[in-house]
Every structure is written in C-alpha cells, then in structure tokens.
Amino acid sequence: MAEHAYVARALEEAHRRNPTEPEFLQAVDEVFETIGPAIKRHPEFEQGRILERLLEPERIISFRVPWLDDRNRVQVNRGYRVEFNSALGPYKGGLRFHPSVNQSILKFLGFEQIFKNALTGLSLGGGKGGSDFDPKGKSDNEVMRFCQSFMTELARHIGESTDVPAGDIGVGAREIGYMFGQYKRLRNEFTGALTGKGLLWGGSEIRTEATGYGLVYFAHEMLATKGDSLAGKTCIVSGSGNVAQYAVQKLIHEHARVVAMSDSGGFIHDPEGINAEKLEWILELKNVRRGRISQYAEHFRGATFTAVNGKTNPLWSIKADGAFPCATQNEISFEDAKRLVKNGVKFIGEGSNMPIVNEGVAHLLDHGVLLAPAKASNAGGVATSGLEMAQNSQRQAWSRETIDQELRRIMHDIHAACARTAAEYGQPGNYMLGANVAALLKVGRAMLEQGVV
Ligand code: NDP
Ligand code: 2IT
C-alpha cells in the first residue's frame, strides 16, 4: 500500500481512529495510495502534519429533524453537516437525502469534496451534509415539512461566506426551493447560502446540467489525448437522476450511442440507442411523474428491463466502449470491473462519487482503461455552483453561453492539471494519481500558509 513512511503512519492512524466508517476509509485509502511520491517531494507537509489535519473534519454537526407526515404522525430523522476543510474557501458541497446516509458516507463525500473543489480553481472549501430521510413515496407537502424542519437547524450553521450547501442524491430543485424559502424566512435575508436555486430566484443557468455536461466534456478531453472522440461509441450509463440525465443528453449531442440507463430497481437496455426524444420522455418520467425506469421498457419497443438486487450488476455486462456510472458509491464491484475489462471497455467516466471499489480501480488501471476519477470528472457541478455564488455576490445573472463556456474551460483545465501532474510523477494517463496529487498540493500549501488551525 502506501510506500512512504509518513503516509503509511497517517493511514494507519486513520484506520485506528475511524473503525466504524468503511466508506470514509475507502476514500482515504484511494487517495493515500497515490500521494507517496508527492509527500516525498514536500517534507514540509510532514512537518506541518498536513495529512493528520486533512483527515479530521473541522466540524461535524448532527441534529434531530422532527416533522409531521400527512397523517399527522410524528416522524424523526437525523440530519448532518460535515464541515471538512475551509483552507480554500467557505465549505461547499451537496446535501444527500437517502435512507443509507450516515456519518461514514458523509465523511467520505466531504473528504472527496475537498480535493474536487481544489481542482476547480475556484475559492471553495469542502463539506457535505444530508439526512437519512427518504423522499421516495413522500408527498410534496411531506417533503416541504421535512425540508423546513431540516433547515430550521441547518440555517444557524450556513451562510454565503461560511458554508454553502447544494443538491446531491435525493435533493433537487424542489428540495432546494423549500430549503431556501425556510432559510430566507429564518434569517430575513436573500443571500446565496444555497446553490442549485431556481432561475427566477438567484439560480444559475447550466447548474442543473453542469455535472453531466462537465463529465462528458472531461471524457471528450481524455479521448482527444488518444486522437479519439465519443462519436459512434456505445456507452452505458447508470442512474437516471440529475447527473445521468444530462450526461446522456451531452453524449447524444456528441453522437455517442447510449444503450442503457438505470435506477435502484434495475436497468433498461435499448440496443437501438436512447435518442433525444426518448431522453425527453425519461426526463418527464423522472422529474415530473417521479416514475420508475422500468416504465421505459413498457413504453418503447425493443427495450428490455432487468431488475437488479444482487451485489454485482448485470448492467455492467452490456458490451460497450464507454461506461459512465452516475448513480451511487460502490456501484461497480471487483467482479463488475473484471467483466467490463473482459468486454473490452475503453474508457470510464465517473459521474457518481467513488463508484468503483478500490480493487476495481486497480484492475481497470492495470488493464489500460482510461479512467476519469470523480473528483475531476464530476467537478463541473460544484464548479458551476461556484459560478452561481459569484453571480449572487455581484447580484447579476450571466448568460447560458457565458456559463457553458466557463464550464468547458474549467473542465479543460482540470483535465490538463490531472494529465500534467500524472506525467510529472512518472505515471502519464493515471488521472487518479493526477487528481489526488494536484489537489493535495494545493490544499496542503494553503493550510501551511494559514498556520496551525
Ligand atoms: P439523483 O437523486 O438525481 O439520482 C440518483 C440516481 O441514482 C437515481 O436514478 C437513483 O435511483 C440511483 N441510485 C441512488 N442510490 C442508489 C443505490 N443505492 N443503488 C442503485 N441506484 C441508486 O442524484 P444525482 O444524479 O444528483 O447524483 C448521482 C451521483 O452523482 C451521486 O453519487 C452524487 O454524489 C454524484 N454527484 C452529483 C452532483 C450533482 O450536482 N447533483 C455533482 C457531483 C456528483 P432511485 O431513484 O431508484 O433511487
Ligand atoms: O458531489 C458534488 O460535487 C455535488 N453534489 C455538488 C456540490 C455543489 O456544491 O454543487
């Protein structure tokens, strides 16, 4: 594992201190695996105990979220905000509402967010939050009452210059709307304390599309280094939420052939390809009717639906040139990774955070698959959140064209920084190493310059 003594020591200490947090430790292992050579070149990081400080969130807030359901029964959920690192700017990162949410998952996401936000080149610290609340099957009024109760506590901890949450799994335009309304009411101020807001009330053009679009821009850059493009490539995409929807839209735009999408119930396979019209239908199904992806196979001839409930996901057995996991963490097991390699996959763009188990990542890299790591490839979402913050402080709204151009530039620069750093450390094409090291050097330096805090 980590071949540098200081890295190994800090890693061991992390495992000793957080034995009940497997997802957090997985994210830490993945980063520490790659940073030895950089730590060797920068002994000042060891002197400043940068790794130990990075591993400890600046603050974790955990709170009760009581609310009344439609039958007037009291419900109780748990809310969190992990304010991980503010070396580069106010804490920034999404809120996740999903029954699986716990401290380990939010610490892994917050830890990743520190590095991702550093790569954007914007002034953004790292944080993450959420709740074990499940929005699925709840009425709009129940979601509103939950969001209001959640924000009643969260409001005292956030603010445009302190901590700026946004969406993630289970938190989209509807939830951000209800939370912003309650924040404004409690604080009596209209400020950009959340991003992902509606376009009528301080939101930014392209923020909805940004993560998916950015992911495809990154894949485009990655393939260009091989003199290749997405045109004509068969792709499989997991998920059918925000990130997946706009990744598919941009893939179609780039003339790729997307043959699969999924949700937590299973996946659809459409060998003819999902075209713009079929995608419009999916957007309406998911964002308005809040239906299940299985309905796609009932509606479009030639498509099939396969239910999934095991540890491996047959979605990843579909033969394709490219795979874009856009659902959740650890959705590609070691077995899945082996199957992808066997089927000749050429590139993978991580839309979801930490979608591949660490053994899977190693296997894919060993077999020369071009792998775009989430920290870099899904950074378009938070980068555009950064642009939303800039617009809010100026009290201005930039055009769609301006923001799309900025997003393209940012993804181009992130790709270049990862590629350059990987080459500098003797592993050209290893974007995983490139992303981890480039981000670590930036955050670590900022921490050193700010003293022991
Ligand atoms: P959404 O809630 O909009 O969509 C999530 C999708 O993934 C749904 O199709 C959902 O299916 C599926 N999914 C969620 N959890 C599971 C699970 N445990 N097993 C199988 N399928 C699952 O979320 P987003 O699209 O916003 O987020 C997707 C991923 O992208 C997450 O990893 C998130 O952290 C990451 N991300 C999001 C960003 C953003 O801007 N939104 C930015 C960067 C990364 P179902 O509806 O059935 O639950
Ligand atoms: O994982 C992520 O980067 C997000 N969920 C987006 C965070 C943000 O603040 O826009």
Side-chain angles (χ1 to χ4, degrees):
M1 272 225 88
E3 76 277 32
H4 189 281
Y6 169 50
V7 177
R9 232 176 26 252
L11 187 60
E12 205 181 297
E13 179 79 354
H15 279 258
R16 195 182 59 75
R17 286 166 78 102
N18 304 284
T20 59
E21 299 184 344
E23 291 86 0
F24 173 55
L25 291 174
Q26 183 186 337
V28 173
D29 285 347
E30 191 232 86
V31 169
F32 278 39
E33 180 81 38
T34 58
I35 59 174
I39 293 293
K40 200 165 162 202
R41 282 193 205 175
H42 293 277
E44 69 276 18
F45 278 31
E46 179 171 358
Q47 260 156 28
R49 300 195 65 188
I50 289 299
L51 296 181
E52 292 89 334
R53 283 200 267 159
L54 258 175
L55 288 165
E56 211 51 57
E58 289 175 17
R59 192 174 299 104
I60 299 181
I61 300 146
S62 162
F63 51 95
R64 176 174 69 208
V65 189
W67 54 282
L68 285 174
D69 69 17
D70 284 346
R71 292 165 64 190
N72 268 332
R73 289 177 311 200
V74 177
Q75 302 287 344
V76 184
N77 285 98
R78 194 174 279 176
Y80 301 90
R81 187 71 182 164
V82 179
E83 297 184 333
F84 222 122
N85 192 296
S86 61
L88 297 180
Y91 309 107
K92 181 83 195 88
L95 295 170
R96 177 177 290 190
F97 292 169
H98 191 272
S100 63
V101 162
N102 57 35
Q103 185 169 300
S104 171
I105 288 180
L106 294 181
K107 276 180 70 182
F108 119 63
L109 289 164
F111 185 70
E112 292 267 311
Q113 200 83 44
I114 305 169
F115 294 83
K116 181 193 310 192
N117 293 3
L119 290 172
T120 64
L122 303 170
S123 175
L124 302 169
K128 202 84 186 191
S131 173
D132 58 1
F133 173 74
D134 185 0
K136 240 183 254 141
K138 304 290 190 298
S139 71
D140 283 352
N141 278 333
E142 288 178 322
V143 170
M144 181 177 74
R145 286 193 294 271
F146 172 81
C147 286
Q148 290 178 340
S149 180
F150 181 84
M151 184 51 82
T152 301
E153 173 61 32
L154 189 69
R156 72 183 85 225
H157 305 289
I158 65 172
E160 60 176 345
S161 303
T162 312
D163 183 354
V164 185
D168 194 81
I169 291 176
V171 178
R174 174 182 60 171
E175 290 74 19
I176 294 289
Y178 294 148
M179 285 191 277
F180 184 77
Q182 183 72 350
Y183 179 83
K184 185 163 59 72
R185 184 185 186 198
L186 288 164
R187 300 284 285 256
N188 194 27
E189 60 179 36
F190 195 114
T191 53
L194 292 168
T195 59
K197 298 185 292 298
L199 293 181
L200 299 175
W201 38 279
S204 172
E205 291 283 358
I206 307 278
R207 176 60 190 89
T208 307
E209 298 89 340
T211 311
Y213 281 12
L215 172 63
V216 178
Y217 294 155
F218 192 97
H220 174 104
E221 297 280 340
M222 196 166 72
L223 288 172
T225 65
K226 303 284 173 198
D228 207 349
S229 80
L230 286 159
K233 298 290 190 299
T234 300
C235 296
I236 45 182
V237 178
S238 67
S240 47
N242 174 264
V243 179
Q245 291 171 10
Y246 292 98
V248 172
Q249 189 174 87
K250 194 50 87 177
L251 284 169
I252 295 171
H253 190 253
E254 296 248 343
H255 306 290
R257 196 168 63 100
V258 181
V259 297
M261 288 180 79
S262 71
D263 63 20
S264 58
F267 66 90
I268 54 109
H269 183 200
D270 185 346
E272 255 185 36
I274 299 169
N275 59 21
E277 208 175 298
K278 290 171 173 174
L279 180 66
E280 267 313 302
W281 188 90
I282 293 175
L283 261 58
E284 208 262 337
L285 172 78
K286 285 291 173 183
N287 306 342
V288 182
R289 287 192 279 148
R290 298 187 188 273
R292 307 304 301 160
I293 201 70
S294 57
Q295 293 168 253
Y296 181 97
E298 292 158 17
H299 190 79
F300 293 107
R301 212 180 307 173
T304 55
F305 171 73
T306 307
V308 172
N309 46 27
K311 235 192 146 350
T312 63
N313 188 342
L315 162 66
W316 306 117
S317 303
I318 299 172
K319 203 169 158 45
D321 304 302
F324 292 88
C326 296
T328 192
Q329 66 275 358
N330 291 329
E331 52 175 316
I332 299 185
S333 67
F334 184 45
E335 289 305 314
D336 294 328
K338 283 200 284 197
R339 229 160 323 128
L340 282 163
V341 167
K342 215 162 138 198
N343 280 336
V345 80
K346 294 187 190 68
F347 55 93
I348 296 183
E350 295 187 346
S352 42
N353 290 303
M354 203 169 73
I356 311 174
V357 301
N358 287 351
E359 300 77 9
V361 169
H363 186 75
L364 292 159
L365 291 177
D366 285 348
H367 288 79
V369 176
L370 276 175
L371 183 56
K375 286 182 194 77
S377 55
N378 76 21
V382 74
T384 308
S385 279
L387 303 180
E388 182 170 330
M389 289 161 69
Q391 293 169 79
N392 290 165
S393 2
Q394 291 182 334
R395 302 211 185 284
Q396 281 186 348
W398 307 341
S399 73
R400 220 178 142 77
E401 293 68 33
T402 303
I403 295 165
D404 195 32
Q405 226 169 48
E406 266 300 276
L407 174 61
R408 274 178 205 267
R409 180 193 62 75
I410 290 170
M411 296 316 294
H412 172 274
D413 290 355
I414 294 176
H415 174 273
C418 295
R420 193 173 53 240
T421 308
E424 220 175 283
Y425 281 85
Q427 295 208 36
N430 185 344
Y431 291 94
M432 203 60 91
L433 179 146
N436 290 340
V437 170
L440 172 75
L441 292 179
K442 190 167 172 188
V443 181
R445 276 186 197 133
M447 289 172 73
L448 285 173
E449 286 170 14
Q450 290 172 30
V452 180
V453 292

